[in-house]
Amino acid sequence: MRLITGFFDEYTLDVHRVLDLAAGAGSLLLAADRVLPGPLTLVGVEQDAMVAECCRNDLADRMHASSDLAIFQGDGLDPEINTRLSHQFDRFDLVVGNPPFLSPRLRSLRYEGSNGVEWSKLRHSYPDITRATTDLSAYFVARAFGHLRVGGVCAMIVPISFLSSDGASQVRRVIEGQGEVLKVDRLPDDAFAASVATVCLWVRRSSEQTTRPNSDGMSWGSWIAESPRLELPPSLRVKDLARVTAGFRDEFYQVAAQVEEADNPPVVLADQGWHRVLTVGHLGWREPLWGHRPVRIGGRALLHPVVSSAALSSMKSAMRALLIPKLVIAPQKRVVAPWIDYEGSVVPLTPVISVLAADSSGLSLSLLAAALASPVAAAFLEHRCAGTALSAKALKFSARDVGEVPLPLNREAWERAGHLWPAWRAGRLWPYLDAIRDAYSVETSVWSELLDWWLPRIGQVVE
Ligand SMILES: C[S@@+](CC[C@H](N)C(=O)[O-])C[C@H]1O[C@@H](n2cnc3c(N)ncnc32)[C@H](O)[C@@H]1O
C-alpha cells in the first residue's frame, strides 16, 4: 500500500483499469482502489481456485461500491487467458504484481512438478524472452508490460537480480525499446519470507512499437548501485587487449578429478611437473591462501591442491593455454582483487577468472592489474552487475563483465599506477590511488565520493 501511495505522490496517472496477473488475496488491487480516484475496473488472475474465490469475495466486500471487479481463475502466463483479457478489457492503465519468483536453476531441485510451472510450455509460449536462467517473475513482468496502454505504468515486485541478470536481459530489452524505467525502490531485506532481496520496479510504456535502438538488455544495476556513476570518455576495454576467461564447467570437472594433495609442500614447482590449483576460496587481497586454508574440490578438503603436468597434458588444450603469466581474480568479492601469476604456473579452477594479455597488446600484467584493482573498475562492475551477487555487498561478475572494464586513457599515469600497484599490496595505497585517478582523469569531487564507497570495502589497514 505504501509503495503505491509513494508513487502516486510523485507521478500523475489517469487510471481506470488495473490488472494483477497473480492476484493472490488481491491486496495490491485493493490498495489501488483505496489510493486512486475511482471508479476503477479491478482485474485479477489467480491460479489457485480457492484463493481466487476468497479474493473475489473479499474485494467485493471491501472495494468502492462504484468500482468493478473481475477475478479469473487460471495461469496468468497462459496465452489464452491473456488474449481473453485483451479482448474483454483492451489495455490497462496500471498493472501491479508481486508474482512468484522461481529460477529455473531451483526448479529441478525443489519444485519441478509440485507448483505447476511447466517450463517447457513457458519456453514455447515466450521464446523471445527465454534464456537458460530466466526467472518466473521475469515472464510476469514481460506479460504485464504487454498489457499496458501507451502511457500506462507497471509496478512489479521482483528479485533484485532482475536488474542485471542475463536471464532477464531480453525483458529489459523489450521494455527499453518500448518504454522507460521510472524508478526502482529497494525493498527491505525482510520484506518477504523468501530469502531473496527484492525491488519494486516502476516502468512506463511509451510506445506500441519498438522505437529506440535496441540495447542488448544492458544492466539496470545503476538504479540501486551505491557507487557514483562515472562518466568516462570512450576508451579501450580489457577485452580489446586481453583474453578473459573463467573456463567451463567440464574443465572444472576434468581438473577436479585429477587434483591431488601435494606430498611435499611447499616445494611445488612447475619444472618438477606439478602445478598449484587455485580456487575462489584461495583468493583475496594478499597472496593466495594456498597451503594456509583448506579448500573443497570435488567433495574433498585439500590444503595443498596440485595437479600434475602429465594429467594436464591429457586435458583440453584450453587448460594448458592458461599456463602462461596471467591475472587471476575471484568473481565474487566486495572489490576486484587481482593476483598476478608471474610464472604462469598456477591452474585456476572455474569460476576463477583469468586475464591473459594478448602478445600484441604491449601491456604488462601490472598495468592490467592496476586498472582492474582500481575503484573505477569496481564501481563500473557494481553498476553493471548490481543485484546478481548472493550477498548485497558483494560484486559478482563474469569473465565477460571483466572484459568490458574500461582502460585508462592517460598512459603515463597508468604506467605510474602499474609501478605503484605492488607497493599497495604491501600497504602503501595512496600513491597508487593518486596515479590511477590521474590515469582515468576522474574529477576530484567524484573521486572523493568514489573513495567513500570503495575504501570501506577493501577492509585493510593502509597508510
Ligand atoms: C505473492 S502472491 C500475490 C499477492 C497478491 N499480489 C496480493 O496483492 O495479495 C502470489 C500469488 O500468485 C499465485 N500464482 C502463482 N503462480 C501463478 C500463475 N502462474 N498465475 C496466476 N497466479 C499465480 C499464487 O497462488 C499466489 O496466490
Side-chain angles (χ1 to χ4, degrees):
M1 173 84 161
R2 249 187 313 116
L3 276 175
I4 294 199
T5 351
F7 179 83
F8 287 99
D9 287 344
E10 269 176 69
Y11 297 86
T12 48
L13 177 67
D14 198 12
V15 180
H16 303 283
R17 280 188 287 259
V18 187
L19 171 67
D20 187 340
L21 288 167
S27 43
L28 290 177
L29 291 173
L30 188 63
D33 191 59
R34 295 259 158 93
V35 166
L36 299 166
L40 299 180
T41 299
L42 305 173
V43 181
V45 184
E46 168 55 48
Q47 191 165 47
D48 185 298
M50 207 145 73
V51 177
E53 183 61 22
C54 290
C55 176
R56 208 173 280 130
N57 294 336
D58 199 38
L59 282 186
D61 284 348
R62 299 170 69 191
M63 66 187 198
H64 283 120
S66 53
S67 290
D68 285 327
L69 179 66
I71 300 295
F72 297 84
Q73 193 253 311
D75 174 0
L77 296 175
D78 180 354
E80 256 177 54
I81 290 196
N82 281 279
T83 310
R84 203 161 129 205
L85 290 176
S86 304
H87 282 150
Q88 200 167 329
F89 301 98
D90 197 15
R91 295 305 178 96
F92 290 82
D93 311 296
L94 176 64
V95 185
V96 289
N98 54 334
F101 313 156
L102 184 58
S103 72
R105 193 173 60 79
L106 286 182
R107 78 185 162 178
S108 52
L109 294 180
R110 289 198 274 145
Y111 294 98
E112 186 79 295
S114 65
N115 72 342
V117 179
E118 288 181 52
W119 293 91
S120 53
K121 199 165 130 196
L122 274 182
R123 268 199 300 277
H124 179 257
S125 302
Y126 301 96
D128 297 346
I129 56 169
T130 297
R131 289 271 201 255
T133 54
T134 305
D135 188 278
L136 187 57
S137 58
Y139 290 98
F140 277 93
V141 177
R143 198 74 252 196
F145 186 75
H147 280 294
L148 292 175
R149 68 163 164 89
V150 169
V153 167
C154 159
M156 305 283 278
I157 294 166
V158 288
I160 205 166
S161 57
F162 181 92
L163 302 177
S164 302
S165 71
D166 181 54
S169 61
Q170 295 310 301
V171 183
R172 295 196 299 272
R173 191 165 157 235
V174 169
I175 295 174
E176 275 174 10
Q178 298 175 11
E180 64 193 312
V181 181
L182 297 175
K183 66 174 183 160
V184 176
D185 292 315
R186 179 84 205 260
L187 302 182
D189 282 345
D190 57 359
F192 294 94
S195 59
V196 176
T198 49
V199 290
C200 182
L201 191 68
W202 293 88
V203 298
R204 175 159 53 200
R205 181 163 194 144
S206 42
S207 159
E208 284 295 339
Q209 308 298 330
T210 301
T211 53
R212 263 163 256 149
N214 262 336
S215 71
D216 57 356
M218 283 288 288
S219 164
W220 292 352
S222 288
W223 284 93
I224 53 157
E226 291 172 0
S227 57
R229 195 192 181 100
L230 302 170
E231 302 293 344
L232 297 171
S235 67
L236 289 177
R237 311 258 150 179
V238 169
K239 68 173 183 197
D240 297 323
L241 299 176
R243 191 165 79 81
V244 189
T245 175
F248 294 99
R249 196 176 286 220
D250 60 331
E251 287 160 4
F252 169 88
Y253 288 120
Q254 281 189 36
V255 177
Q258 301 288 344
V259 169
E260 299 177 36
E261 176 73 23
D263 273 345
N264 187 20
V267 189
V268 179
L269 297 175
D271 57 14
Q272 292 176 3
W274 292 99
H275 299 273
R276 290 191 290 170
V277 174
L278 284 192
T279 72
V280 167
H282 287 124
L283 295 168
W285 276 115
R286 299 183 180 276
E287 282 298 298
L289 292 169
W290 189 92
H292 296 279
R293 172 195 282 175
V295 291
R296 291 197 77 78
I297 300 175
R300 288 174 300 155
L302 299 160
L303 189 58
H304 303 101
V306 289
V307 64
S308 70
S309 302
L312 277 178
S313 58
S314 68
M315 293 179 201
K316 276 190 175 170
S317 57
M319 285 313 304
R320 295 192 298 279
L322 293 179
L323 290 175
I324 60 170
K326 58 190 167 291
L327 298 187
V328 289
I329 305 172
Q332 189 158 180
K333 295 274 171 203
R334 289 161 71 91
V335 287
V336 191
W339 176 74
I340 302 183
D341 170 23
Y342 286 107
E343 291 174 4
S345 64
V346 305
V347 174
L349 201 59
T350 304
V352 171
I353 295 173
S354 302
V355 182
L356 307 105
D359 287 345
S360 56
S361 71
L363 277 193
S364 69
L365 289 174
S366 56
L367 278 187
L368 274 172
L372 282 168
S374 69
V376 171
F380 171 85
L381 289 170
E382 195 210 10
H383 282 255
R384 191 178 158 91
C385 311
T388 53
L390 288 176
S391 115
K393 287 280 178 215
L395 300 173
K396 183 179 173 208
F397 40 84
S398 64
R400 181 142 60 114
D401 299 320
V402 170
E404 293 297 334
V405 169
L407 293 170
L409 283 173
N410 180 337
R411 180 78 184 216
E412 178 275 321
W414 186 14
E415 302 231 347
R416 223 170 349 112
H419 286 303
L420 291 164
W421 185 73
W424 162 26
R425 311 287 299 203
R428 283 175 49 78
L429 176 62
W430 291 99
Y432 157 79
L433 279 181
D434 288 343
I436 201 73
R437 181 203 54 213
D438 293 349
Y440 277 109
S441 308
V442 182
E443 253 181 57
T444 319
S445 62
V446 179
W447 185 248
S448 72
E449 212 188 313
L450 183 57
L451 290 191
D452 284 347
W453 170 79
W454 187 78
L455 282 173
R457 292 181 152 246
I458 65 171
Q460 74 176 102
V461 182
V462 292
E463 282 176 27

